[in-house]
């Protein structure tokens, strides 16, 4: 069911957005050569405890997950692009890391993701991150009353296809509110002018993710981590966005 939030409720969602943005910022600053993925998960867990927030991940067990997730953060490295289960892995020079984090504050959820390179970066990884961020911004720009859901999806897909990237439609954006995943599904490609008409009060996570040379993925033996079928690297960006009468409001905007 698609739910629309009142302006007052969107205001109530701001603290969750700020908190998630702060955690993502702290994780990006912490990520470096020699840091263990479990250290990043513990940092996020400590920030949740300090804030009195609630994890959206630790007990999460959808149909596509092998078991309850058990961690508070997704850490996807190199050929892993989504749902990376934190494990005993020490980041190496040049690793491409995507962190995805969602939490509930005072009963409202926000969700965000960011990709970074630790140590010395390959130019092709920086380019992929830049394109993914540009696709996110293009999707956000279309999140306006009167537009259609397909306008958001098409804007994301246009950026990807413009540089020759494939687009996987299995996983994409989603509604956000009292829970992490709700209606509507927001694909990362589509046709402009099609789909749900966007109205003030709709809150969605917009999240493009792309792989260098494929759009096919498989599930790792851990039952969660999604990896590229050809071993190519991936990038993932996400913001929680409220559609208002004045246009898109990015609730998880990080401080400059």
């Amino acid at each position: 069911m698609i739910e629309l939030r009142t302006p007052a409720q969107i205001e109530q969602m701001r603290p969750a957005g700020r908190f998630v943005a702060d955690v993502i910022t702290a994780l990006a600053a912490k990520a470096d050569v020699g840091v263990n993925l479990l250290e990043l998960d513990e940092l996020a867990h400590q920030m949740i405890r300090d804030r009195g927030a609630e994890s959206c991940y630790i007990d999460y067990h959808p149909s596509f997950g092998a078991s309850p997730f058990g961690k508070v953060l997704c850490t996807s490295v190199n050929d892993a692009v989504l749902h990376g289960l934190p494990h005993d892995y020490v980041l190496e020079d040049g690793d491409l890391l995507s962190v995805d984090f969602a939490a509930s504050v005072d009963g409202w959820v926000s969700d965000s993701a960011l990709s970074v390179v630790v140590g010395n970066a390959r130019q092709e990884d920086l380019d992929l991150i830049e394109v993914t961020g540009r696709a996110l911004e293009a999707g956000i720009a279309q999140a306006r009353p009167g537009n259609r859901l397909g306008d958001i999806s098409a804007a994301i897909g246009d950026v990807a296809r413009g540089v020759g990237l494939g687009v996987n439609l299995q996983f994409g954006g989603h509604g956000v509110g009292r829970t992490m995943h709700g209606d509507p599904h927001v694909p990362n490609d589509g046709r402009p002018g099609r789909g749900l008409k966007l109205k003030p009060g709709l809150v969605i996570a917009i999240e493009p993710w792309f792989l260098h040379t494929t759009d096919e993925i498989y599930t790792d033996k851990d039952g969660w981590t999604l990896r590229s079928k050809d071993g190519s690297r991936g990038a993932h960006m996400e913001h929680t966005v409220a559609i208002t009468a004045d246009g898109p409001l990015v609730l998880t905007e990080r401080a400059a």
Side-chain angles (χ1 to χ4, degrees):
M1 182 177 69
I2 295 172
E3 298 183 79
L4 300 180
R5 308 300 176 182
T6 66
Q9 288 175 322
I10 289 174
E11 285 300 308
Q12 291 167 7
M13 296 182 78
R14 284 183 184 269
R18 285 195 297 271
F19 173 66
V20 167
D22 289 345
V23 173
I24 290 286
T25 299
L27 292 167
K30 174 73 172 178
D32 203 351
V33 176
V35 172
N36 196 301
L37 297 182
L38 295 176
E39 294 179 64
L40 296 179
D41 186 72
E42 177 53 33
L43 171 59
H45 207 159
Q46 186 61 54
M47 293 182 74
I48 288 171
R49 290 191 290 263
D50 291 345
R51 180 62 176 80
E54 294 183 12
S55 170
C56 292
Y57 289 172
I58 199 162
D59 295 322
Y60 187 53
H61 190 188
S63 60
F64 57 80
S67 60
F69 191 71
K71 302 295 182 183
V72 301
L73 174 70
C74 291
T75 52
S76 303
V77 181
N78 297 333
D79 66 316
V81 67
L82 294 175
H83 306 165
L85 185 63
H87 59 287
D88 185 14
Y89 174 80
V90 176
L91 290 169
E92 299 179 357
D93 188 41
D95 276 347
L96 173 49
L97 169 69
S98 298
V99 292
D100 190 355
F101 178 74
S104 174
V105 175
D106 300 326
W108 294 105
V109 171
S110 272
D111 192 0
S112 187
L114 177 68
S115 291
V116 296
V117 178
V118 298
N120 296 300
R122 305 179 187 182
Q123 187 58 50
E124 58 264 34
D125 289 343
L126 296 178
D127 292 343
L128 185 64
I129 291 171
E130 187 275 331
V131 167
T132 309
R134 186 151 44 89
L136 175 59
E137 292 302 318
I140 292 171
Q142 294 299 318
R144 298 180 176 278
N147 280 357
R148 299 274 179 175
L149 194 63
D151 295 318
I152 296 175
S153 299
I156 294 169
D158 285 348
V159 172
R161 288 192 306 275
V163 295
L165 294 175
V167 182
N168 180 294
L169 299 181
Q170 291 172 263
F171 296 93
H174 49 87
V176 181
R178 293 294 190 181
T179 61
M180 176 172 59
H181 288 151
D183 294 328
H185 174 62
V186 186
N188 285 325
D189 199 9
R191 298 176 64 182
R194 299 296 184 93
L196 177 74
K197 189 172 183 179
L198 305 180
K199 298 179 180 179
L202 182 65
V203 182
I204 53 177
I206 301 174
E207 54 175 316
W209 60 275
F210 307 125
L211 298 158
H212 273 303
T213 57
T214 186
D215 60 7
E216 296 186 65
I217 54 177
Y218 73 95
T219 304
D220 187 90
K221 62 183 179 181
D222 66 16
W224 275 100
T225 304
L226 297 179
R227 298 184 180 276
S228 66
K229 280 198 172 179
D230 67 357
S232 62
R233 296 179 171 212
H236 177 203
M237 299 285 193
E238 178 182 18
H239 273 311
T240 296
V241 181
I243 296 172
T244 77
D246 297 323
L249 171 65
V250 180
L251 294 171
T252 50
E253 183 109 51
R254 294 180 291 276

